[in-house]
Amino acid sequence: MRPSHCSVSPSRDDPAFRGCTWDEMVKAYYEQCEGLMAGGVDLFLLETIFDTLNAKAALFAIDKFFADKKCRIPVFVSGTIVDNSGRTLSGQTNEAFWNSLAHSKPLAIGLNCALGADDMKPYVENLSSCADCYVFCYPNAGLPNAMGGYDQKGDEFAEEIRPFMEAGILNGIGGCCGTSFEHIKAVADMAKEYQPRACHAVKSLMRLSGLEPLNYEPCLSNMRSTFLNVGERCNVAGSSIFKKAIVDGNWDKALSIAVKQVDAGADVVDINVDDGLIEPIGAMTKFVNLLVSDPEASKMPFMIDSSKFHVVECGVKCCQGKSIVNSISLKEGEEAFIKNARMVKAFGSAVVVMAFDENGQAATCKEKVSMCQRAYKILVEEVGFNAQDIVFDPNILTIGTGMAEHNDYAVDFINATREIKRTCPGCKISGGVSNLAFSFRGNEPVRRACHSVFLHYACAAGMDMGIVNAAHCIEDKYENIDKELLGYVEDLVLNRCDNATERMLEYAATLNPKSKPCALRKKGDVVEKVVEKGSSWRDKSVQDRLSHSLVKGIDEFVVRDTEEARTCGLYPRPLHVIEGPLMDGMSTVGDLFGAGKMFLPQVIKSARVMKKAVAHLIPFMEEEKRLMAEQEGIDADADNSVGTFVIATVKGDVHDIGKNIVAVVLGCNNWKVIDLGVMCSCQSILDACKEHNADILGLSGLITPSLDEMVTVAKEMEKAGFKIPLLVGGATTSRMHTAVKLTPQYSGPTVHVLDASRAVPVCSSLIDEKQYAEFVEDTRETYKEMREEFYAGLEDRKYVSLEQARAKALTVDFTTPENTPVTPKQLGVHVLRDFPIEEVVDYIDWNPFFQVWQLRGRYPNRGYPKIFNDETVGAEAKKLFDDAQTMLKDIIAHKKLSLRGVLGLFPANSVGDDIEVYAEDGERGAPRASFYTLREQAEKENTSEPYLALADFVAPKESGVKDYVGAFVTSAGFGLEEMTKAFKADNDDYSYILAEALADRLAEAFAEVVHIKIRKEYWGYAPDEDLSPDDLLKVKYDGIRPAPGYPSQPDHTEKNTMWELMKVAEETDVTLTESLAMLPAASVSALVFGGKCSKYFAVGKITDEQVQDYAARKKMDVKEVERWLATSLNYEP
């Protein structure tokens, strides 16, 4: 069974490219097994292996063949080395080669070809010492001569082999290139007088490999000295630089990060590409292939890390060495755990087992121990896993959070480590060490000292490895930590006193946050005083009190203080109070926000305080204006704002949360904001700019048709001769779209603004005469480069024809039990009016809620509820969450919002790329309606991947199998207008934005509940489903619910068919705008596919060929289709 290559790129220009995949190799070797067994062979010999990954695929296929056929014959494996370096062509040493393959337990292993016997001896000797099976060798008859022939005679050959016999390192001997019967006879005669090598046991260790072996032998008396540093910098969750490199496709940068980790002392390289912006299978495959091709990066073993097991599999299939899989757990039950464990064993990898079970994450010592003991028993007794290759991660959780229940997290881990090692012989202990001190992120000496102290005690208890910053782990020796700092840190880590966290916080405030624990520097000799607590600020001057109220968002005293400022004699006019202490306070707010020391919810609260103060002054200002108007020559209407900013959500779009936030933030910074609202026509926007003499225009939009409307506004601005800056923002906008589509249409400055925090500095640059020219020129130059990059990318990106894409569509056998469609229990349309809000609250996904407010925790405190532990935004996130809970209770108690929905289930079949919907569930004749789908066309690196369209998930009409599709619309927007109107009347920007954000979350939660009811009740294809809200957010259910206008079907016009089929407007009052946005805005719509074969995907860019085909099928004008699909075209229409 001869070799190929999986680890070596056949392309000089693309080291990540592979001529064949793991799966292709497994299939080919499996077929060889079938043929050879049918031919009557007595053993399988994998020979002349120069690529270990190739051998692993072959052995995987052989083991599968043995399992399938319930038979077994001996297996021999023979590698080959390319030169006197003793390495295979793919770079492995022969001991690393053995570590990679030992799991398959071959009857014999050896070396052949490549070198003459004399040169081969040291490598055979090494293989003989590390292998616990038989060892053989069949070298060449010396080295080839100048003509490629072999001159060594039989007796010479035998004498070169004699030292092998004398050393007792072989069980079998033979000849390869240049040998003949003469050579074999001479060797046989010589070997008669020697005893064969005696097989020996090998010390039981965890044996890993990259290009080189890593045989982990812990020093029980000093575990810290043998601790394995698992480098964390190739994990997108642990390194924003690495994530950006992967997202941008900057593979050279990503590779350099891996190499630096190895240089810094990493023993194992952790690889994780789990992120919403990254296609994980392609990224994992490409990056691991790149690492394998780099001799520096691949020296060490890899830890293939993903929460998705299929992504783990893709990574392991690229590793020629013996890797560590991170991770599996009992979270989904024993059946899934055993299945995944057996696959890891078949790959020959070690495995990290997280301390999770069906009830959640282990936090206490008792939970950690019991979960790990249970997993160990299953792995060793049922799966037959080598105990040395089991690595438990009992969860290192964050301490120093201020919550008493977290104080023992480090102690619990240490105690659990000791007990797990005692009761689970051979296992290893690992953990994410950087999780421990995230409460002190930003204070380097404290954070790093916590890690060092923790490792000191955890390793003494038996911890073997951890995901760490390798350089810090080596540099920050426990013995060298500043002794004063050490005392505070040990109190914290070991929870030696009740006030350890408070003492640590006070001490940390005295330290230079950029110093090191072993070279500590302080800010000064005296601890900085803590700001007085309580209400002592009320004793300060009125100016300071107003500033404090604004910065802290306290509105309790602001009217009283504003009146005191107006009447104290310091400010002759009411306007002076605004221009003086109020604007001073808001300037402080703006500075803190710009520096990242205040967050959006705080800024909105500050705006609420400001508006209350101004509202109190307005009647006095109006009276003053009246009196001044009576005095000739005095201008009572002077405008003292920085500038006038007109802002609008464009025609057809009803989404305005982001727009409202920008308006409030600019208002806080003394801009006169003219908010035109939503669904604003182009003409009304331009008229408003003229009427108010706008200095800047801001356009907002959420749905993709809004992008086209923004282009229209830009064109009309150019025609009308406008020169003012145009700012654009919103979920679907981007710098690239602005550079490519908008900037060429308008000669005035055009700038994309990512979020509210960027609005103020951008506007300030555009209004400042000193900054304007440089800022505009720099932006134009940047956008020009982006346009060139975009068009170059279009030329570089390859697309398959529509015919080719359809030929490689996903093929599903809908007659198999797994894929046979389930007949819905309740076909037809079902209306849900006044659905109880209480039933959807538990399904709210709070992560987008915090994103609306631009609160983002840093790893590992990303996402709800971990965000509350984040050092920077955690406290503010908790306040915001508590406010949301209060408002939510009020909404429920007083029925301020009502939930309305409609769902439909229809007979359906696919016809090509279309989905026909039928009136009756009988003969599938003429369709009642059709949903039209789009197919992927961007060429894929993995040639075995299908090119998907949503129609692939529905049984073809020609199959005769009856299938079905569903659809639904949910809304939580009824009653929202009345709520926000009341808040606006009270100048309460914070509450009305909070109400809008909650309504949006309720609509999404309602959609989650409706989808559950479809799966379990109305359609009933998953009646026994029992998933937690967390599992639902991770899409662990069968089926999908893609929405028109989103990646799987980017065409919003498909909503029209949904509305007609379900009579949505008539039944729920949810309507569509001319841009097909839903009204109320807090609404969700989706199609529903129930098959296990269905999955989410992104259509991506499509060619003009598919656009024309799609337009013909939909009976639409091509230009109209191009308008709706503008962001999905791979060409300029």
Side-chain angles (χ1 to χ4, degrees), residues 214-334:
L214 194 164
N215 300 324
Y216 173 63
E217 186 169 5
C219 175
L220 299 181
S221 62
N222 184 6
M223 293 282 284
R224 186 67 180 87
S225 67
T226 52
F227 181 80
L228 295 180
N229 298 322
V230 181
E232 66 182 355
R233 309 313 294 168
C234 288
N235 185 320
V236 295
S239 170
S240 58
I241 298 173
F242 178 72
K243 175 184 171 180
K244 185 177 188 304
I246 298 295
V247 170
D248 293 346
N250 189 345
W251 301 104
D252 289 341
K253 176 68 174 177
L255 179 60
S256 71
I257 292 170
V259 172
K260 285 178 182 177
Q261 281 195 105
V262 174
D263 291 343
D267 301 299
V268 179
V269 177
D270 182 74
I271 304 164
N272 183 299
V273 293
D274 286 355
D275 187 87
L277 293 175
I278 298 169
E279 193 287 293
I281 293 176
M284 178 65 83
T285 302
K286 188 176 183 75
F287 186 59
V288 177
N289 280 342
L290 268 178
L291 293 188
V292 169
S293 302
D294 186 279
E296 292 301 315
S298 60
K299 282 193 299 188
M300 304 305 176
F302 300 151
M303 179 178 279
I304 306 299
D305 186 352
S306 177
S307 60
K308 302 166 186 172
F309 192 74
H310 66 281
V311 177
V312 167
E313 288 183 285
C314 289
V316 174
K317 288 176 180 179
C318 300
C319 296
Q320 68 166 335
K322 179 177 176 179
S323 57
I324 305 174
V325 163
N326 186 5
S327 60
I328 62 174
S329 75
L330 286 159
K331 187 175 183 179
E332 297 177 359
E334 289 189 6

Side-chain angles (χ1 to χ4, degrees), residues 815-882:
T815 64
T816 62
E818 184 179 34
N819 294 313
T820 299
V822 174
T823 302
K825 294 179 179 179
Q826 302 179 52
L827 281 168
V829 177
H830 309 275
V831 180
L832 304 170
R833 275 191 173 271
D834 296 321
F835 194 88
I837 294 178
E838 299 93 316
E839 292 188 25
V840 310
V841 169
D842 288 343
Y843 296 91
I844 291 176
D845 179 3
W846 289 102
N847 290 315
F849 173 79
F850 292 113
Q851 290 164 12
V852 164
W853 295 93
Q854 297 172 25
L855 293 175
R856 299 175 179 89
R858 302 191 66 178
Y859 176 82
N861 295 319
R862 289 178 181 160
Y864 168 83
K866 293 180 181 178
I867 190 173
F868 300 145
N869 297 328
D870 189 82
E871 177 190 15
T872 307
V873 304
E876 193 56 40
K878 189 64 170 68
K879 289 179 190 175
L880 176 65
F881 182 74
D882 291 342

Side-chain angles (χ1 to χ4, degrees), residues 36 61 143 152 232 352 419 456 510 522 605-606 641 731 745 802 853 935 938 987 1059:
L36 290 168
L143 297 174
Q152 196 173 67
E232 66 182 355
V352 174
E419 184 63 11
H456 175 78
T510 71
K522 290 194 174 184
K605 288 178 183 177
S606 298
S641 62
Q745 306 300 334
L802 184 57
W853 295 93
R935 188 169 296 282
N987 293 310
W1059 258 247

Side-chain angles (χ1 to χ4, degrees), residues 504-581:
M504 185 76 257
L505 287 169
E506 291 180 10
Y507 180 69
T510 71
L511 306 179
N512 183 319
K514 299 299 181 185
S515 60
K516 300 177 181 180
C518 299
L520 193 65
R521 300 195 309 276
K522 290 194 174 184
K523 291 179 181 177
D525 296 327
V526 182
V527 178
E528 293 182 355
K529 290 185 179 179
V530 179
V531 177
E532 292 181 48
K533 297 180 180 178
S535 58
S536 59
W537 64 276
R538 298 298 304 153
D539 300 325
K540 296 181 178 180
S541 69
V542 68
Q543 296 92 331
D544 289 340
R545 277 181 270 138
L546 284 171
S547 179
H548 184 90
S549 292
L550 288 164
V551 172
K552 298 298 182 182
I554 301 170
D555 62 1
E556 181 180 356
F557 309 103
V558 70
V559 172
R560 185 194 312 172
D561 290 341
T562 301
E563 178 61 12
E564 181 181 334
R566 186 184 73 82
T567 59
C568 70
L570 294 175
Y571 306 102
R573 298 176 57 195
L575 179 62
H576 294 164
V577 178
I578 296 175
E579 293 177 337

